[in-house]
Amino acid sequence: MNFSEILSNALRGGLGPEAAIYALAAVGLNLHFGFTGLLNFGHVGFMLVGAYGVAVSVSSWGLSLWVGILIGIASAIVLALILGIPTLRLRGDYLAIATIAGAEVLRYFYRSDWAAPLTGGVYGLRQFAQEFFALNPYTDNLSLGPIFFSARNLWVMTVGWGLVILASLLVYLLVHSPWGRVLRAVREDELAARSLGKNVYAYKMQSLVLGGVIGGLAGALIAIANQSVNPDNFNPAVTFYLWAIMILGGASRILGPILGSIIFWFLATFLDSFLRNATASGVISPELITGPDVGALRFVFVGLGLLVLMIYRPAGILGDPKELRLDVR
């Protein structure tokens, strides 16, 4: 087996555009769950409306890419209000049901024949981010030992990790402000926060909107990076990848989503490359594992690793077990 190639692929996976985009989305989810205690099981819905805000604006309406990003952000705000207004006054599980259902309703709506003139239906939309790549300052590929990145990926990584840093800094400043201390109080004991005269509903809504905007930005970036959107790419599994990333790094920790995304995609890419090399070289019999099985099997091993982590480190790598004592009424 080519261990150098396996390591190279794993490092690219852990540092590449996909890791940056998922880290950004997980920052928003961490604000929802880690700092406020909101059970958002449909975070991919915010990514979907952010991505299609860009794609539809450019491809179907002929607007500028930058206007499309603003439309994607506005769409995420509207979605947060639609989901939050009827549910945030109720117990936490109602928000969980509403978010996962809302994300699936949106996915089927965007892929429907009725919406196809705007969204492209099941085929999606393509080639709408030329304005972004026209600004690419990188002219050469980057090669550092086993790590190789194309100029195109370098530009997406620069913007992606830059947004992750900015979003993490914003969350850090907010959660260490009086506003953030109220969020922690809501997370730990909502009734106590109400007894002190805090408008818990308003704080939950503000957190849902802000985290949704960050998720919408992540969706816009994944659309730009791929130069395409397809509704079936925003399925419920994406949300649970984000939950795995957040829990792995540590919920309610500023650096948790960043560390979690790097480790998650390093392990997923390492296992994918290892299994493909092992089957190609005959170390693992092709009769035991075929090519199509590898993509699913790598996440099985990642899941097993997360189970072990939850046994020995239930709060994640950087987390504090006390932070998991949530009040989600």
Side-chain angles (χ1 to χ4, degrees), residues 117-260:
L118 279 180
T119 66
V122 296
Y123 301 104
L125 299 170
R126 291 173 177 79
Q127 301 301 318
F128 46 77
Q130 290 85 350
E131 287 182 75
F132 175 81
F133 290 105
L135 298 176
N136 187 355
Y138 300 104
T139 57
D140 298 320
N141 300 329
L142 175 66
S143 181
L144 295 174
I147 306 177
F148 173 84
F149 291 109
S150 67
R152 178 191 178 95
N153 282 344
L154 278 174
W155 179 223
V156 176
M157 288 166 57
T158 300
V159 174
W161 287 115
L163 287 174
V164 169
I165 293 170
L166 290 175
S168 299
L169 180 60
L170 174 64
V171 171
Y172 174 84
L173 293 174
L174 288 174
V175 299
H176 287 86
S177 70
W179 182 82
R181 287 191 285 274
V182 174
L183 285 191
R184 289 174 180 267
V186 170
R187 180 196 65 200
E188 292 169 6
D189 194 332
E190 183 177 318
L191 291 179
R194 290 182 189 278
S195 70
L196 295 173
K198 302 300 181 182
N199 188 338
V200 170
Y201 173 76
Y203 279 93
K204 283 183 174 181
M205 181 63 73
Q206 292 162 16
S207 175
L208 185 64
V209 168
L210 182 57
V213 166
I214 296 173
L217 275 174
L221 186 57
I222 200 170
I224 291 169
N226 295 332
Q227 277 269 48
S228 68
V229 290
N230 186 295
D232 291 332
N233 292 334
F234 298 92
N235 57 58
V238 174
T239 293
F240 292 101
Y241 294 163
L242 296 174
W243 275 87
I245 286 168
M246 180 184 64
I247 293 171
L248 176 61
S252 76
R253 288 292 179 266
I254 299 297
L255 297 178
I258 300 174
L259 180 63

Side-chain angles (χ1 to χ4, degrees), residues 13 37 56-57 62 76 86 106 139 152 172 184 200 217 264 266 270 295 304 311 321:
V56 171
S57 298
L106 282 171
T139 57
R152 178 191 178 95
Y172 174 84
R184 289 174 180 267
V200 170
L217 275 174
F264 180 87
F266 177 89
F270 176 87
L304 290 174
I311 293 172

Side-chain angles (χ1 to χ4, degrees), residues 16-329:
E18 198 165 36
I21 292 166
Y22 274 76
L24 181 61
V27 169
L29 182 61
N30 194 33
L31 182 61
H32 287 167
F33 176 77
F35 292 109
T36 317
L38 300 177
L39 296 177
N40 177 5
F41 289 144
H43 199 57
V44 70
F46 293 105
M47 299 176 68
L48 186 152
V49 296
Y52 270 93
V54 172
V56 171
S57 298
V58 178
S59 297
S60 300
W61 294 340
L63 300 176
S64 166
L65 177 71
W66 317 113
V67 174
I69 292 174
L70 294 178
I71 291 175
I73 292 172
S75 300
I77 293 173
V78 171
L79 178 60
L81 294 173
I82 291 173
L83 294 175
I85 287 174
T87 62
L88 289 180
R89 295 186 187 277
L90 306 173
R91 295 200 314 266
D93 49 359
Y94 285 95
L95 178 64
I97 295 168
T99 49
I100 194 169
E104 276 296 272
V105 168
L106 282 171
R107 183 169 71 88
Y108 280 105
F109 170 77
Y110 277 91
R111 78 191 304 274
S112 67
D113 291 337
W114 183 84
L118 279 180
T119 66
V122 296
Y123 301 104
L125 299 170
R126 291 173 177 79
Q127 301 301 318
F128 46 77
Q130 290 85 350
E131 287 182 75
F132 175 81
F133 290 105
L135 298 176
N136 187 355
Y138 300 104
T139 57
D140 298 320
N141 300 329
L142 175 66
S143 181
L144 295 174
I147 306 177
F148 173 84
F149 291 109
S150 67
R152 178 191 178 95
N153 282 344
L154 278 174
W155 179 223
V156 176
M157 288 166 57
T158 300
V159 174
W161 287 115
L163 287 174
V164 169
I165 293 170
L166 290 175
S168 299
L169 180 60
L170 174 64
V171 171
Y172 174 84
L173 293 174
L174 288 174
V175 299
H176 287 86
S177 70
W179 182 82
R181 287 191 285 274
V182 174
L183 285 191
R184 289 174 180 267
V186 170
R187 180 196 65 200
E188 292 169 6
D189 194 332
E190 183 177 318
L191 291 179
R194 290 182 189 278
S195 70
L196 295 173
K198 302 300 181 182
N199 188 338
V200 170
Y201 173 76
Y203 279 93
K204 283 183 174 181
M205 181 63 73
Q206 292 162 16
S207 175
L208 185 64
V209 168
L210 182 57
V213 166
I214 296 173
L217 275 174
L221 186 57
I222 200 170
I224 291 169
N226 295 332
Q227 277 269 48
S228 68
V229 290
N230 186 295
D232 291 332
N233 292 334
F234 298 92
N235 57 58
V238 174
T239 293
F240 292 101
Y241 294 163
L242 296 174
W243 275 87
I245 286 168
M246 180 184 64
I247 293 171
L248 176 61
S252 76
R253 288 292 179 266
I254 299 297
L255 297 178
I258 300 174
L259 180 63
S261 185
I262 291 172
I263 294 175
F264 180 87
W265 286 109
F266 177 89
L267 292 176
T269 310
F270 176 87
L271 289 168
D272 183 88
S273 185
F274 174 81
L275 291 171
R276 292 186 190 281
N277 269 266
T279 53
S281 61
V283 174
I284 298 178
S285 172
E287 296 180 358
L288 183 62
I289 300 176
T290 61
D293 296 330
V294 171
L297 193 59
R298 62 172 177 161
F299 287 114
V300 171
F301 286 114
V302 171
L304 290 174
L306 284 171
L307 287 176
V308 173
L309 176 70
M310 295 305 294
I311 293 172
Y312 294 102
R313 187 75 183 177
I317 295 173
L318 301 177
D320 183 346
K322 295 179 182 178
E323 303 286 354
L324 295 179
R325 298 172 185 172
L326 306 176
D327 175 27
V328 293
R329 283 193 289 271

